[in-house]
Amino acid sequence: MHGTQANVQPRPEFGKLGMWWFLASEIMTFGGFLAVYILYRAASGGGWTETAEHVSIALGSINTFVLLTSSLTIVKSTEAVNQGEYDRAKNYLGWTILLGVVFLAIKGVEYTSEIRHGFTPITNIFWNFYFALTGLHALHILVGIIINLVLYIGAVKGTLWREDLGHRIEVAGLYWHFVDIVWIFLFPLLYLSY
Amino acid sequence: MATEAHDHPNYFMVWVVLLLLLVVSLAAAYMPFSQTLTVILIFVIAAVKALLVASFFMHLKIEGKLILAIAIVPVILFVIMTISLLPDIVYNPVETATQKLEAPKSTVH
């Protein structure tokens, strides 16, 4: 990409390196939470099945589809930046934001239905984990939407391209893909292992 | 995986494979398999999906050793942490983990 020789590895850019460093700390943040959930669930010996059956697999699956698709749109945006097709990059970024909002909206519908049926964070330990894990994840989605929105505004104004900051979309993409990966594990952990 | 000329994965194909894996994991959850088999299947599929996203969308496949190390070390730490807590929580569980959880009166479905 930068015309380096085959045997010389180009130095990673600061932004990219910083983001990966941050994601390493994020793996431990979610990791501690997930480890305790996995172990408590294993210790329960199937005792949580009855209450865990009440999550909506349909809505969880739709949200998995939404997030996987948003990962595709943001990586296509990065690709378009590298090809100098800024309009296409801006549009793909817009789709990513929209899909993030759709994810949160669906999550909101789920929460509303669950709480109305009496499943709240204090119902029992399963629902406590459920709301904490999906809540922390939803917070990350919200942050991702804000980051992408800031870049989108830059793209619309043209500052992102004029100041040669297009690579920021790639860095934002790394974060967004990470949040997608967290959901890839939350989906079987909370929705499918009943 | 489909790789075009210059380190350029076919993102669309990766996405198609990810969606297929989602369908397979749903099928596995609904099949009348034993619980052990279901759990193994859905988590193997989740791991493959995560690897696909990391390798192709996050470009770990073509990234240098430094970034690869930053990504892999915490994953190893996570595995060590989980395994080292196993005796305490699973083999000598506290009551909060083992009590049978009843569903509230009304239900979602």
Side-chain angles (χ1 to χ4, degrees):
Chain A
M1 196 162 61
H2 298 295
T4 42
Q5 288 172 10
N7 57 344
V8 179
Q9 292 222 332
R11 270 192 209 185
E13 299 126 42
F14 287 143
K16 198 196 269 183
L17 192 61
M19 180 51 81
W20 272 106
W21 197 250
F22 170 68
L23 292 184
S25 79
E26 286 279 82
I27 292 174
M28 293 317 285
T29 306
F30 278 101
F33 233 136
L34 288 178
V36 178
Y37 169 73
I38 291 166
L39 292 168
Y40 267 57
R41 187 84 197 245
S44 74
W48 297 9
T49 307
E50 199 181 313
T51 198
E53 269 175 355
H54 298 291
V55 294
S56 170
I57 296 182
L59 291 179
S61 307
I62 293 169
N63 257 351
T64 308
F65 169 78
V66 168
L67 270 200
L68 289 174
T69 308
S70 73
S71 261
L72 174 71
T73 54
I74 200 161
V75 85
K76 290 297 272 184
S77 178
T78 303
E79 184 186 54
V81 172
N82 292 337
Q83 291 166 350
E85 297 181 34
Y86 297 139
D87 249 11
R88 207 157 64 90
K90 186 191 74 187
N91 290 338
Y92 273 124
L93 192 61
W95 280 109
T96 311
I97 295 166
L98 192 70
L99 288 166
V101 172
V102 168
F103 177 93
L104 284 186
I106 292 175
K107 201 72 220 146
V109 170
E110 264 185 279
Y111 279 166
T112 310
S113 159
E114 280 149 3
I115 290 168
R116 284 178 66 171
H117 287 89
F119 302 100
T120 69
I122 55 164
T123 301
N124 59 41
I125 191 169
F126 171 78
W127 289 98
N128 195 329
F129 271 121
Y130 170 85
F131 280 103
L133 283 166
T134 55
L136 183 65
H137 179 264
L139 201 62
H140 278 77
I141 293 279
L142 185 65
V143 170
I145 291 172
I146 293 169
I147 295 169
N148 293 342
L149 203 58
V150 169
L151 293 179
Y152 186 77
I153 292 167
V156 171
K157 285 182 178 167
T159 48
L160 208 58
W161 323 127
R162 277 199 302 273
E163 294 162 32
D164 198 25
L165 296 172
H167 66 276
R168 286 186 175 176
I169 292 180
E170 185 183 0
V171 178
L174 287 175
Y175 174 82
W176 192 257
H177 296 311
F178 170 78
V179 179
D180 186 17
I181 288 179
V182 172
W183 183 260
I184 285 175
F185 286 108
L186 286 185
F187 179 60
L189 279 169
L190 295 169
Y191 290 82
L192 297 182
S193 351
Y194 54 84
Chain B
M1 194 50 56
T3 308
E4 288 167 21
H6 33 256
D7 295 327
H8 219 251
N10 185 338
Y11 298 123
F12 184 76
M13 277 313 293
V14 177
W15 175 73
V16 169
V17 174
L18 285 169
L19 293 191
L20 284 176
L21 286 171
L22 167 64
V23 173
V24 174
S25 68
L26 277 172
Y30 280 109
M31 286 286 178
F33 295 146
S34 72
Q35 214 200 355
T36 319
L37 183 61
T38 306
V39 167
I40 292 172
L41 272 176
I42 57 178
F43 286 106
V44 167
I45 292 167
V48 173
K49 277 159 80 182
L51 269 178
L52 284 174
V53 172
S55 307
F56 296 103
F57 287 174
M58 299 172 91
H59 304 118
L60 266 190
K61 204 173 186 315
I62 53 167
E63 222 42 276
K65 285 196 185 82
L66 176 64
I67 282 180
L68 208 58
I70 294 174
I72 288 172
V73 168
V75 175
I76 295 171
L77 288 175
F78 165 71
V79 173
I80 293 174
M81 176 170 65
T82 310
I83 293 172
S84 59
L85 283 171
L86 199 84
D88 253 9
I89 298 179
V90 179
Y91 298 136
N92 192 12
V94 291
E95 204 215 332
T96 31
T98 51
Q99 62 183 320
K100 190 172 182 300
L101 301 177
E102 306 287 342
K105 306 152 284 312
S106 58
T107 55
V108 170
H109 303 296

